[in-house]
Amino acid sequence: MSVYPIQQAANTEDAIDRLVASHRPGYGLTRPFYHDQDIFERDMERLFRRHWHCLTHASVIPNPGDFELFKLGDEAIILSRGMDGTVHAMLNVCRHRGAEVCTKEKGNAKVFVCPYHAWTYSNDGSLRAARLMPKDFDRTAHGLKKLHVRVATGLVFISFAETPLDFDPIEQSLRTSCGQYGWGDAKVAYRQSYPLDANWKLAVENYVECYHCGPAHPEYSQTHALEKPAEMIEQLNAAMEQRTCALGIEIGSGDRWQNSAAGQEAIHTFRYALYDGVSSGSRDGSPVAPLMGRFTDYDGGVTSIHLGGTTFLVCYPDHGMIYRFIPKTAQTCEMELIWLVRGDAVEGQDYDLEKLTWLWKVTTDEDKKIIEHTARGVRSHYFVPGPIAPMEYNELRYIGWYLQEISRA
């Protein structure tokens, strides 16, 4: 038997390790990280299949029997609520011949019947019937492949890992941040997906820095104070925190991202101010929905959360945003935006959907163009990354974390 494929794989791994080791501190990633298929495969193995990912808000499956299909990378996932109310996440792969068991995007069902040979699964993934199989066939050993699933402040997270990263500290962090905004009792008001002709890391790197906000996002920059001199930002942030404290609210923050240890999920929670007189993330800074959670008034601030490699959350007092990044191929990905409002809010009465979604739709349309412009640029064989600007400190920390994660076997 030839050992060439094994040796070739070893050589590939060594080449990636050398590329990681040669990274120049303070600079962006080099061209192969955005194009190379072997690096993409390592991204999927060591980062994507190891970390927790937010799928959605639990309000999309409110009733026993409700289900919805999700795709992450090459995997199709059935998210369902069992008849006892428990949330389950399962691969949409029949344990017989691998056919897709669930063929509808969403609905309500007590069972899923494979269209190929009619193997029947309960909505918790257990195998209920396998026609014409021998009497000694063990149905308990052939349920749908279950994924680890956790629900925290209304958000549904899944992990593909056999032994997932510790989620308890993440749940606590979300409780002291999103929990103050009432996300556990929220509902999904709107969702929109954006396909991108770009490597997923280009999309994430764009999201985590606001060096580009002034030239690229004039609408966003009219209300969000992220590009002003440090002294002005400090004053705005201090005033914001005073208003938050006056409401009797303390928002948890902290950095479990940089230099996160093996076995730990990464999370970074931080706050920043809107301009004086701005209440929320909207076209003119005015409120767009009923106040949520413990907020009885607007504090003029935003809470931002970076979680793992693909989940990013934004909290305003009157609505919330879930930003999901989904790798597809080495040169394509998808962004999904999910808008949250108070669970009892009524569209057309308590909020106007166009006003609620306007700012982040405009901003994301602009981001899509910028990210794809960058993707075309870094395809050049002559592309050499430049130094990270001081305002791109979150990108610098993200790159460091990413390189750390794909170096862990």
Side-chain angles (χ1 to χ4, degrees), residues 20-42:
V20 171
S22 68
H23 173 71
R24 186 177 180 183
Y27 282 69
L29 297 172
T30 55
R31 181 179 183 273
F33 285 100
Y34 305 119
H35 299 283
D36 186 85
Q37 181 63 31
D38 292 322
I39 292 179
F40 178 75
E41 291 298 332
R42 184 183 281 201

Side-chain angles (χ1 to χ4, degrees), residues 114-349:
C114 179
Y116 200 178
H117 297 98
W119 281 31
T120 303
Y121 301 87
S122 297
N123 60 14
D124 64 1
S126 59
L127 181 61
R128 192 164 175 173
R131 54 187 293 275
L132 306 180
M133 293 299 285
K135 290 183 179 180
D136 60 353
F137 173 68
D138 185 4
R139 286 184 299 172
T140 63
H142 292 84
L144 295 177
K145 168 67 177 175
K146 299 289 288 289
L147 302 178
H148 296 279
V149 60
R150 294 286 294 268
V151 180
T153 60
L155 303 176
V156 180
F157 292 86
I158 62 96
S159 174
F160 295 99
E162 288 296 322
T163 302
L165 300 177
D166 185 8
F167 192 80
D168 289 344
I170 303 304
E171 185 171 24
Q172 175 61 25
S173 294
L174 294 175
R175 186 180 302 118
T176 59
S177 55
C178 301
Q180 304 301 300
Y181 290 86
W183 280 29
D185 299 318
K187 70 175 182 179
V188 173
Y190 190 70
R191 296 152 73 178
Q192 184 161 333
S193 292
Y194 295 79
L196 296 177
D197 288 327
N199 181 273
W200 70 278
K201 293 188 291 295
L202 286 175
V204 172
E205 288 175 26
N206 174 78
Y207 178 89
V208 300
E209 58 92 352
C210 210
Y211 185 40
H212 73 284
C213 290
H217 300 311
E219 303 87 357
Y220 177 88
S221 298
Q222 287 179 359
T223 52
H224 294 68
L226 290 172
E227 274 205 332
K228 295 301 180 183
E231 183 178 347
M232 179 179 178
I233 290 178
E234 288 176 6
Q235 292 174 353
L236 288 169
N237 286 347
M240 169 196 69
E241 293 296 355
Q242 287 180 353
R243 290 190 293 268
T244 309
C245 290
L247 294 172
I249 299 172
E250 182 178 351
I251 307 294
S253 60
D255 185 2
R256 288 174 49 89
W257 186 294
Q258 201 164 24
N259 300 318
S260 58
Q264 294 182 344
E265 184 56 275
I267 185 168
H268 180 209
T269 304
F270 58 97
R271 289 177 37 80
Y272 59 91
L274 301 167
Y275 283 116
D276 288 340
V278 174
S279 298
S280 185
S282 62
R283 188 168 196 156
D284 58 3
S286 61
V288 289
L291 287 164
M292 300 173 67
R294 298 185 59 210
F295 282 83
T296 56
D297 199 354
Y298 292 86
D299 66 346
V302 184
T303 299
S304 183
I305 301 160
H306 299 178
L307 199 164
T310 62
T311 300
F312 299 84
L313 313 172
V314 179
C315 308
Y316 299 103
D318 60 354
H319 71 287
M321 298 294 307
I322 304 171
Y323 235 104
R324 302 176 60 232
F325 293 89
I326 306 165
K328 294 292 187 181
T329 68
Q331 297 190 42
T332 63
C333 68
E334 182 180 342
M335 297 187 295
E336 184 185 30
L337 277 66
I338 303 174
W339 284 260
L340 301 178
V341 295
R342 202 171 72 191
D344 61 358
V346 178
E347 182 186 346
Q349 177 178 314

